[in-house]
Amino acid sequence: MFAYISLGLIGLAAFTALGADSEMASYFYGAPLLLIGGWVAWRDRELGTGAAVLLAIMALFLGIAALRGQLLSGAPEFVALGACAAVFISARALAFRARKATEICAVLLGFFLLASIIAFLDHIWSPDRIFLFERPYHLGRLSSPFLSANTAATFFGIGVILSVGRLLRATAGPMGGARSKHLILPLTTLLFCLSCLVLTASRAGILLTGSVTCLLLLWEMAQRFRRGERQSLWALAAAGLGLALTATGIALLSGETFGSRIADVGVGAGSRSELWTAYSRAALEQFWFGAGPGGFEYVNAASTNAENASILVFQRAAHNIVLQWQLQTGLIGLLTLAGFWLWAGRRILSGLEQSGRPRWLIRTLVCIGLFVLAHGLVDYALEIPAIAWMTAWLAGLAVGVSAPRGKAQSSFVRHAVGVAMLLLAAGAVLGLVDTLRANAVRAATGDPAAAILAAPFPQMSGLALARAHADLALSSTPANPGHARAALDRVLALEPRDGRAEARLAYALLLAGDSQAAANHLSRSFQLWPYAHPDFRTWRLQLSASLWNRLGEEERRAALRELRQVRPEWRRPWLEQTRACELGGQPACIGLGED
């Protein structure tokens, strides 16, 4: 029951929080998943030493992050990773105790059918919106229930492969009325998931789903050939052809979106190549332990240069799971991840050699794993918590149905894992409280805002709350530089790599009259973040113009380099302002502006 509840929470995370792709959603859904996993681990008498090893590895990376002062900035990712372990343990325990693998598969198919119907109707209702809200990108492509259409392609690709696997199982042996009724759910799920997949117009997602589905069909044909069921091989070949024709028909009916995406494949490949080149260089600079979970934003900022700034400033992930792990956890983390998947793969594949195991489900889950991994090498779906949790759920299910029930293990291991997850859940709750308080501060106006700024800054606040206090102090009328400075000092104490916070602190110091200290922090901002995101770039350039007489030659060159990234019509007034500053006319202090 707990495992099914965790599956329901994953679904809610996908549909109510765009895949839990935010700090607050990660805390909100991660906490109950960790509580469920901790409870299951505490009671699971077969939880072995492998879980203890994973616990030790998690403790190692938590310790490294604490020593580096990066624990709070990486907290959302630690919670999401801990929830992955919790979901894996829950699904594994379910598979051990389930009476029939087909019952589990039916629940999964029902989950994907409901998800695909909602996503399909949402897209038909408004292709450029998601649940009636404006989308920032991938307009015209189905992305529900995520912001990214490519992430949706991973999600619905899983549904397609699972449906095909269940259909192969239902068509094994002679057909009859009792057997035919088992075709209704997988066929319906396949139709809707395939429609949603094609409407995402994801080149890699569609290609890899088709390739892995063909692999699953060939694998099934080989197994039937070995069993001497040669009369059904032609039926399988015809089914594969019918599936391909159905996908082609849906693509033709979907309009020109997918065709235009195929025509632009060279542009997409070039952008990915530029990203991976920059991130490969960055990975070598922090080879062993990486930048820490949650550190991608700062690695990405430091990796930008004049050639790649137009691409890198918009990135939130490496679009390659191997590079992502290498950047954030270094070689140690990458080897840990590889070791886990090798262990899980060995356990899963051993189930194919044992009698009494649902081999059709094992083959299907192996193919799903290959698909998710392959798509993760060219996109960032596995960085979205809901997709990562779904993958962990399916991996736990695969390990559980593959391995026979073992002997009871030491109670110390399961109790230690359970307590660790409960402690991590408590940390998630604290993070959620901090985020909710930050949202309340940002929403404050009038007298409540004045009361917040009049009170002393809470020195024990987390990152989210400290940033919210800084936002309020600098955007209020008049600004409160003292409160902003206290908040930004706290931000930089918790995360010294934050180039945005350095620039804001420079502005607070300028308002307070300390222009030299402001120039020093602005210089630090350019070092950490050579090319800012467009929503911050013009603001920082205006700040640079206001401090032009205090900037050194290196800082001036950095500002002029970034100036080349803005619109030409905006450059001339800025250059005139800096010339006036050089001639002795000090410009007025600027407002915070849009951030």
Side-chain angles (χ1 to χ4, degrees), residues 44-253:
D44 190 355
R45 298 181 179 275
E46 297 173 9
L47 199 65
T49 54
V53 173
L54 287 176
L55 176 63
I57 292 170
M58 177 68 80
L60 170 67
F61 282 102
L62 283 169
I64 293 171
L67 290 174
R68 287 176 159 186
Q70 300 167 359
L71 189 59
L72 289 183
S73 62
E77 296 221 11
F78 278 116
V79 169
L81 288 172
C84 282
V87 168
F88 177 87
I89 289 173
S90 299
R92 172 183 169 275
L94 168 69
F96 271 147
R97 291 164 174 76
R99 291 179 296 175
K100 292 182 180 179
T102 51
E103 294 178 357
I104 302 173
C105 190
V107 172
L108 281 170
L109 287 173
F111 169 80
F112 277 103
L113 177 60
L114 179 62
S116 58
I117 290 174
I118 294 173
F120 183 79
L121 293 176
D122 177 62
H123 181 74
I124 296 300
W125 180 264
S126 180
D128 292 338
R129 293 171 177 263
I130 175 170
F131 305 136
L132 303 180
F133 295 101
E134 294 288 345
R135 276 198 283 160
Y137 48 81
H138 292 177
L139 301 182
R141 299 167 59 189
L142 185 146
S143 70
S144 302
F146 308 96
L147 280 179
S148 168
N150 297 327
T151 302
T154 299
F155 184 76
F156 292 114
I158 293 173
V160 168
I161 298 169
L162 182 67
S163 301
V164 171
R166 183 65 184 95
L167 283 171
L168 292 175
R169 170 60 177 172
T171 56
M175 295 296 296
R179 185 177 293 274
S180 299
K181 69 179 182 181
H182 295 297
L183 299 176
I184 298 173
L185 178 59
L187 269 176
T188 309
T189 305
L190 175 60
L191 178 62
F192 276 98
C193 283
L194 186 59
S195 299
C196 290
L197 174 64
V198 173
L199 290 172
T200 65
S202 171
R203 294 168 299 219
I206 294 172
L207 176 63
L208 289 171
T209 301
S211 300
V212 173
T213 301
C214 288
L215 173 63
L216 181 59
L217 285 169
L218 291 172
W219 198 351
E220 178 67 21
M221 290 174 71
Q223 294 302 311
R224 294 191 184 186
F225 184 82
R226 287 179 56 187
R227 295 195 300 264
E229 300 175 9
R230 302 180 185 180
Q231 70 279 4
S232 63
L233 296 182
W234 288 108
L236 283 180
L241 179 61
L243 183 62
L245 291 174
T246 302
T248 303
I250 294 171
L252 292 174
L253 292 172

Side-chain angles (χ1 to χ4, degrees), residues 124-477:
I124 296 300
W125 180 264
S126 180
D128 292 338
R129 293 171 177 263
I130 175 170
F131 305 136
L132 303 180
F133 295 101
E134 294 288 345
R135 276 198 283 160
Y137 48 81
H138 292 177
L139 301 182
R141 299 167 59 189
L142 185 146
S143 70
S144 302
F146 308 96
L147 280 179
S148 168
N150 297 327
T151 302
T154 299
F155 184 76
F156 292 114
I158 293 173
V160 168
I161 298 169
L162 182 67
S163 301
V164 171
R166 183 65 184 95
L167 283 171
L168 292 175
R169 170 60 177 172
T171 56
M175 295 296 296
R179 185 177 293 274
S180 299
K181 69 179 182 181
H182 295 297
L183 299 176
I184 298 173
L185 178 59
L187 269 176
T188 309
T189 305
L190 175 60
L191 178 62
F192 276 98
C193 283
L194 186 59
S195 299
C196 290
L197 174 64
V198 173
L199 290 172
T200 65
S202 171
R203 294 168 299 219
I206 294 172
L207 176 63
L208 289 171
T209 301
S211 300
V212 173
T213 301
C214 288
L215 173 63
L216 181 59
L217 285 169
L218 291 172
W219 198 351
E220 178 67 21
M221 290 174 71
Q223 294 302 311
R224 294 191 184 186
F225 184 82
R226 287 179 56 187
R227 295 195 300 264
E229 300 175 9
R230 302 180 185 180
Q231 70 279 4
S232 63
L233 296 182
W234 288 108
L236 283 180
L241 179 61
L243 183 62
L245 291 174
T246 302
T248 303
I250 294 171
L252 292 174
L253 292 172
S254 65
E256 300 178 356
T257 304
F258 182 62
S260 63
R261 292 272 298 158
I262 294 296
D264 293 339
V265 66
V267 177
S271 300
R272 291 287 198 276
S273 176
E274 198 162 347
L275 290 179
W276 296 336
T277 300
Y279 296 149
S280 297
R281 288 196 297 263
L284 293 175
E285 295 176 3
Q286 303 186 67
F287 185 71
W288 291 105
F289 293 103
F296 176 81
E297 173 188 352
Y298 311 109
V299 173
N300 184 71
S303 301
T304 53
N305 55 44
E307 288 73 29
N308 61 29
S310 61
I311 299 175
L312 261 67
V313 294
F314 297 101
Q315 303 307 315
R316 296 178 57 201
H319 292 264
N320 182 296
I321 188 62
V322 175
L323 263 180
Q324 187 84 23
W325 272 78
Q326 175 74 38
L327 285 168
Q328 295 194 141
T329 62
L331 183 63
I332 302 299
L334 193 59
L335 292 176
T336 301
L337 179 67
F340 169 77
W341 283 112
L342 285 173
W343 169 81
R346 182 174 176 273
R347 295 290 297 270
I348 293 168
L349 292 176
S350 68
L352 295 173
E353 302 173 358
Q354 300 176 27
S355 60
R357 302 288 99 191
R359 296 176 185 177
W360 67 271
L361 182 57
I362 297 172
R363 288 193 293 270
T364 302
L365 293 172
V366 167
C367 288
I368 289 174
L370 291 174
F371 163 71
V372 173
L373 176 60
H375 203 197
L377 294 176
V378 294
D379 207 80
Y380 59 85
L382 280 169
E383 286 298 306
I384 305 300
I387 294 292
W389 297 336
M390 173 59 68
T391 303
W393 205 95
L394 294 171
L397 183 63
V399 170
V401 299
S402 300
R405 293 179 64 86
K407 298 179 180 179
Q409 301 291 328
S410 168
S411 61
F412 173 78
V413 172
R414 54 192 175 88
H415 289 170
V417 173
V419 169
M421 288 190 175
L422 293 177
L423 291 175
L424 197 54
V429 172
L430 292 176
L432 178 61
V433 170
D434 187 76
T435 306
L436 291 173
R437 291 177 64 193
N439 291 343
V441 169
R442 285 196 175 93
T445 58
D447 291 340
I452 292 172
L453 295 178
F457 171 74
Q459 293 295 330
M460 296 305 292
S461 64
L463 264 177
L465 183 57
R467 285 169 173 156
H469 273 269
D471 289 347
L472 182 64
L474 292 178
S475 62
S476 62
T477 305

